[in-house]
Amino acid sequence: MNSLRVVLLAAGSMLAFVSMNAQTADEVVNKHIEALGGKEKLNAIKTVYSEYDMDIMGNQASGVTYQVNGKAFRNEMDFGGQKIIQVITDKGGWGINPMAGQMTAEPMPEDMVKASQYQLYPGGMLMDYASKGYTVELQGKEELNATPTYKLLVKNQDGNETTLWLDAATYHILKSTSKINAQGQEMETSTVFSNYIKTDYGLAVPGNAEVTLPGVTLNIISKKVEVNKEVDMKLFEQPQ
């Protein structure tokens, strides 16, 4: 009988810990959403258009992105006169990359599409994360370059993992690392965000991002962000 009582107490303690941890994780997520502009504002966004400059290992490039909330995302990058295009939608994705010998539009592998569909949302993967099939685990507080942060582990339904470090004071994302399985190969990327600014609409966006991919580092500087600009949906249709 005593053994049963101990087991029940231990189980109760574990359930209490899990519940407390989930509430704490959601509390951090909610404060992050507020820091971006608030759920009401984020849900009211129809489109986000942005322009940026990029340094790729000493080489210069420029680009634009189009985001239609919940439906589509397009990134165009002009590198040495060659245009690299990546499109993600709620139904699939495609790309053109002359630098890799891909001169015409080709469908994107399904696993890469799923791993990238968080880009359809101005609030990112943490906005209404459960409805997108994500789980979020708070892994505690951690110093990142002398800045106290909350460390979150985000997983999608395919097992891809993203670790986020959120500034404990501002609740903005300071760093993101992702592990994705694409066509049987695991790839890891890392992004450091800084210089957050607020648009006229009230959406907070990072002014700078340093992206580390296998073998290359990209430094991105935001030049312009427009919320609810008219966007032609034909931009997201794959050329035949």
Side-chain angles (χ1 to χ4, degrees):
M1 195 69 175
N2 287 334
S3 297
L4 178 60
R5 185 180 294 112
V6 170
V7 169
L8 290 174
L9 284 172
S13 298
M14 286 294 294
L15 289 171
F17 172 78
V18 170
S19 175
M20 178 182 67
N21 190 58
Q23 289 174 357
T24 304
D26 282 341
E27 188 174 282
V28 173
V29 169
N30 290 338
K31 288 183 178 180
H32 166 68
I33 298 303
E34 285 301 313
L36 290 180
K39 193 169 185 177
E40 186 176 344
K41 271 188 175 293
L42 291 174
N43 282 332
I45 291 176
K46 296 178 181 177
T47 67
V48 179
Y49 167 80
S50 66
E51 299 176 3
Y52 62 87
D53 286 330
M54 181 186 293
D55 180 280
I56 308 173
M57 311 292 282
N59 299 294
Q60 304 306 308
S62 62
V64 297
T65 65
Y66 305 85
Q67 184 184 54
V68 179
N69 196 353
K71 295 180 180 179
F73 175 85
R74 176 179 174 123
N75 179 53
E76 295 179 12
M77 185 176 67
D78 190 317
F79 184 72
Q82 300 194 78
K83 186 173 284 189
I84 300 169
I85 300 173
Q86 182 188 59
V87 171
I88 304 289
T89 73
D90 55 347
K91 297 179 177 62
W94 56 272
I96 300 174
N97 186 357
M99 304 293 289
Q102 186 182 331
M103 308 304 293
T104 58
E106 296 181 13
M108 190 177 297
E110 185 179 352
D111 49 3
M112 289 188 68
V113 171
K114 288 182 179 180
S116 304
Q117 282 181 323
Y118 71 90
Q119 296 179 92
L120 306 182
Y121 304 93
M125 63 178 61
L126 292 179
M127 177 75 171
D128 294 327
Y129 67 85
S131 67
K132 299 184 180 76
Y134 289 96
T135 61
V136 177
E137 175 189 338
L138 178 62
Q139 296 193 315
K141 294 187 76 172
E142 188 173 293
E143 293 263 324
L144 181 67
N145 297 326
T147 299
T149 68
Y150 290 103
K151 184 178 179 181
L152 299 178
L153 177 65
V154 185
K155 295 182 181 180
N156 72 1
Q157 292 173 318
D158 295 322
N160 293 323
E161 297 183 356
T162 299
T163 303
L164 303 173
W165 287 262
L166 277 63
D167 189 313
T170 67
Y171 290 91
H172 288 315
I173 296 174
L174 298 184
K175 183 179 179 180
S176 167
T177 62
S178 295
K179 292 180 180 179
I180 63 172
N181 289 302
Q183 296 179 294
Q185 292 186 330
E186 186 174 86
M187 182 174 69
E188 183 167 334
T189 65
S190 176
T191 307
V192 175
F193 303 97
S194 59
N195 299 328
Y196 277 82
I197 56 176
K198 274 207 171 186
T199 67
D200 293 339
Y201 178 83
L203 173 68
V205 296
N208 298 77
E210 183 181 274
V211 183
T212 302
L213 304 169
V216 65
T217 299
L218 319 174
N219 287 290
I220 303 170
I221 300 173
S222 178
K223 291 169 53 182
K224 181 180 184 179
V225 179
E226 290 185 46
V227 177
N228 292 338
K229 173 186 175 76
E230 193 71 28
V231 172
D232 187 350
M233 292 302 293
K234 290 182 180 179
L235 286 167
F236 308 102
E237 296 176 4
Q238 181 174 336
Q240 300 302 317

